[in-house]
């Protein structure tokens, strides 16, 4: 006749191994759920910062489950190696075989030690091999724990059946162990999602006011104005406003392109000015100057603010750039920044041997320092 203590010991060994394996699996896979929540916050709610409470909770769950798994694993192993357990097995007519495989343990320990040693070498190949061995040792450790716990659980259930002990169901514990951390992490991130959405909505409204303001002014002097509409899509890198000075049919395709950040400030301004290789260089420079003045006048009239004051200045072609352009061929590219100028200037072209009617020639002026 079994004592109540012995019955409870058998019952615990029926569900203990399942709880150990569940805790280990939750520890392995809860990181994927946390990463999904971080990705959701980033991609769906446009958050650019790491949510520290969520990270702390995730690490806390991993630590708690790891400690619980190790503690219960040690407890089940000690029960399985005890003389009382051996006596119960013999009384139930089961073979008194051990649960551990000493040879397999030595192999795993050797693989782990070899991996540590390889990682100490400076060679990248050795370090990769060490990482692979460490990962393999970890996987085999989990597999060994699973087999050991499975053997204990199998014997415990057979003894429960033979001794007529009611076997408790482990399902409710398994579901609790899975759902509690998932729900806790999700609940912690819900306020973060709401805050991220509120912040992105405010940023879009702030950027939209400036984008529409610049668009309206450019439409007064440009033939075509194209914008990235903040009302349609949030863009962490900012919103482009492009004003084409002339109609698309015109050979002069000069335009201004600028980006408005989510703080409502202009953080990039570029002028692209068409060069006519059929005309003289003096005529091209004069037309470029007129187009620059017209485009800059429109930008200045918008009243929009910029991250740096130089972005709102009228471009001044570097003297060295003008000199190279006047001396060189229409097919010689130029890229220069003069410290005395307020913009970087480039002449974009193609070599003469690949020139065709589809090629374009233009000055590219980028405001500020590159």
């Amino acid at each position: 006749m079994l004592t109540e203590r012995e019955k409870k010991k058998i019952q615990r060994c029926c569900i203990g191994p399942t709880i150990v394996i569940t805790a280990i699996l939750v520890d392995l896979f809860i990181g994927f759920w946390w990463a999904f929540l971080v990705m959701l916050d980033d991609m769906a709610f446009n958050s650019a910062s790491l949510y520290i409470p969520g990270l702390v909770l995730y690490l806390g769950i991993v630590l708690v489950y790891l400690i619980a798994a190790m503690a219960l694993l040690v407890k089940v192993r000690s029960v399985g190696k005890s003389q009382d357990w051996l006596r119960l097995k013999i009384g139930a007519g089961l073979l008194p075989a051990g649960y551990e495989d000493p040879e397999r343990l030595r192999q795993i320990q050797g693989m782990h030690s070899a991996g540590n040693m390889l990682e100490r070498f400076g060679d990248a190949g050795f370090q990769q091999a060490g990482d692979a061995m460490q990962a393999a040792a970890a996987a085999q450790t989990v597999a060994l724990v699973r087999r050991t716990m499975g053997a204990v659980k199998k014997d415990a259930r057979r003894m429960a059946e033979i001794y007529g002990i009611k076997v408790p169901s482990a399902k409710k514990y398994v579901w609790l162990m899975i759902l509690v951390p998932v729900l806790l992490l999700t609940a912690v991130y819900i306020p973060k999602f709401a805050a991220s959405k509120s912040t992105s909505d405010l940023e879009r409204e702030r950027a939209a006011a400036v984008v529409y303001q610049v668009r309206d002014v450019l439409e007064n002097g440009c033939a075509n104005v194209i914008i990235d509409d903040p009302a349609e899509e949030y863009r962490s890198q900012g919103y482009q406003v492009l004003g084409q000075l002339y109609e698309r049919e015109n050979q002069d395709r000069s335009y201004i392109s600028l980006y408005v950040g989510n703080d409502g400030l202009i953080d990039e301004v570029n002028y692209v000015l068409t060069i006519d290789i059929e005309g003289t260089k003096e005529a091209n420079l004069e037309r470029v100057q007129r187009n620059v003045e017209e485009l800059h006048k429109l930008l200045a009239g918008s009243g929009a603010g910029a991250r740096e004051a130089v972005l709102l200045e009228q471009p001044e072609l570097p003297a060295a750039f003008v000199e190279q352009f006047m001396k060189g061929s229409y097919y010689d590219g130029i890229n220069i920044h003069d410290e005395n100028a307020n913009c970087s200037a480039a002449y974009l072209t193609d070599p003469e041997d690949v020139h065709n009617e589809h090629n374009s020639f233009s000055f590219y002026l980028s405001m500020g320092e590159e």
Side-chain angles (χ1 to χ4, degrees):
M1 186 68 179
L2 299 182
T3 64
E4 287 298 319
R5 182 184 177 190
E6 291 171 335
K7 291 179 181 179
K8 289 182 179 179
K9 182 181 295 187
I10 292 174
Q11 289 176 329
R12 284 195 296 268
C13 287
C14 286
I15 62 174
T18 301
I19 294 175
V20 170
I21 297 302
T22 301
I24 293 174
L25 292 177
V26 169
D27 251 1
L28 292 174
F29 292 104
I30 193 64
F32 291 100
W33 183 250
W34 173 74
F36 168 75
L37 294 174
V38 172
M39 182 178 65
L40 185 64
D41 189 36
D42 179 30
M43 299 182 67
F45 301 103
N46 309 301
S47 174
S49 60
L50 181 64
Y51 188 45
I52 299 302
L55 174 62
V56 171
L57 178 60
Y58 158 63
L59 295 177
I61 290 171
V62 171
L63 181 62
V64 168
Y65 272 63
L66 181 61
I67 292 174
M70 293 302 100
L72 190 55
L73 173 62
V74 171
K75 180 67 175 177
V76 172
R77 284 179 61 192
S78 64
V79 169
K81 295 166 65 175
S82 67
Q83 291 299 316
D84 288 342
W85 188 256
L86 179 61
R87 181 177 55 79
L88 289 172
K89 286 181 64 176
I90 294 174
L94 302 179
L95 293 176
Y99 296 114
E100 294 184 347
D101 186 347
E103 181 61 28
R104 189 64 177 276
L105 282 173
R106 283 193 292 270
Q107 291 176 0
I108 293 174
Q109 290 172 353
M111 187 178 297
H112 180 71
S113 299
N116 274 334
M117 184 176 65
L118 288 173
E119 286 182 340
R120 295 173 184 172
F121 286 92
D123 184 78
F126 283 122
Q127 290 178 346
Q128 290 178 359
D131 291 340
M133 293 186 73
Q134 292 276 35
Q140 290 194 30
T141 300
V142 173
L144 182 61
V145 169
R146 182 175 178 275
R147 282 195 292 272
T148 301
M149 293 296 98
V152 173
K153 177 181 176 181
K154 181 179 179 181
D155 281 351
R157 286 187 170 273
R158 290 179 65 184
M159 284 191 287
E161 182 180 352
I162 292 170
Y163 288 123
I165 301 171
K166 183 179 179 182
V167 178
S169 174
K171 287 184 178 180
K172 60 180 180 181
Y173 300 105
V174 170
W175 280 112
L176 280 174
M177 292 176 67
I178 295 173
L179 292 177
V180 167
V182 169
L183 293 177
L184 275 176
L185 270 177
T186 305
V188 165
Y189 267 91
I190 287 176
K192 178 62 168 66
F193 293 156
S196 297
K197 185 178 186 306
S198 177
T199 300
S200 66
D201 288 345
L202 288 174
E203 289 179 345
R204 289 170 65 176
E205 291 176 5
R206 185 164 52 227
V210 178
V211 168
Y212 300 155
Q213 177 182 343
V214 175
R215 176 200 62 188
D216 294 343
V217 171
L218 291 181
E219 285 179 343
N220 292 328
C222 293
N224 297 292
V225 179
I226 304 170
I227 69 169
D228 293 328
D229 194 343
E232 295 179 358
E233 181 183 4
Y234 179 92
R235 291 174 178 262
S236 59
Q237 73 274 21
Y239 308 88
Q240 184 183 31
V241 181
L242 189 149
Q244 298 172 322
L245 198 53
Y246 305 107
E247 294 289 351
R248 292 185 177 89
E249 295 77 14
N250 196 307
Q251 291 185 347
D252 190 338
R253 296 183 173 84
S254 299
Y255 65 87
I256 184 173
S257 171
L258 57 93
Y259 281 85
V260 178
N262 283 293
D263 55 2
L265 297 175
I266 296 173
D267 54 25
E268 183 179 332
V269 178
N270 303 302
Y271 295 82
V272 180
L273 307 146
T274 300
I275 299 299
D276 180 10
I277 64 172
E278 300 298 329
T280 65
K281 291 183 178 179
E282 290 81 4
N284 274 301
L285 287 175
E286 289 178 5
R287 189 178 65 260
V288 163
Q289 186 63 33
R290 289 196 304 271
N291 288 343
V292 163
E293 290 176 356
E294 182 63 26
L295 291 169
H296 174 262
K297 180 181 177 181
L298 294 170
L299 173 61
S302 69
R307 195 176 305 281
E308 298 177 16
V310 68
L311 297 174
L312 299 179
E313 294 179 2
Q314 181 172 314
E316 298 176 2
L317 291 175
F321 177 84
V322 174
E323 182 180 354
Q324 288 188 37
F325 177 69
M326 293 299 295
K327 289 181 178 180
S329 163
Y330 275 125
Y331 302 99
D332 297 330
I334 306 172
N335 192 339
I336 193 170
H337 177 77
D338 188 335
E339 294 297 330
N340 298 319
N342 61 353
C343 70
S344 296
Y347 174 48
L348 307 181
T349 182
D350 290 301
E352 187 172 5
D353 57 351
V354 298
H355 171 65
N356 58 54
E357 65 276 11
H358 301 295
N359 294 131
S360 61
F361 301 80
S362 58
F363 285 175
Y364 186 94
L365 309 181
S366 178
M367 300 306 299
E369 295 185 3
E370 288 293 305

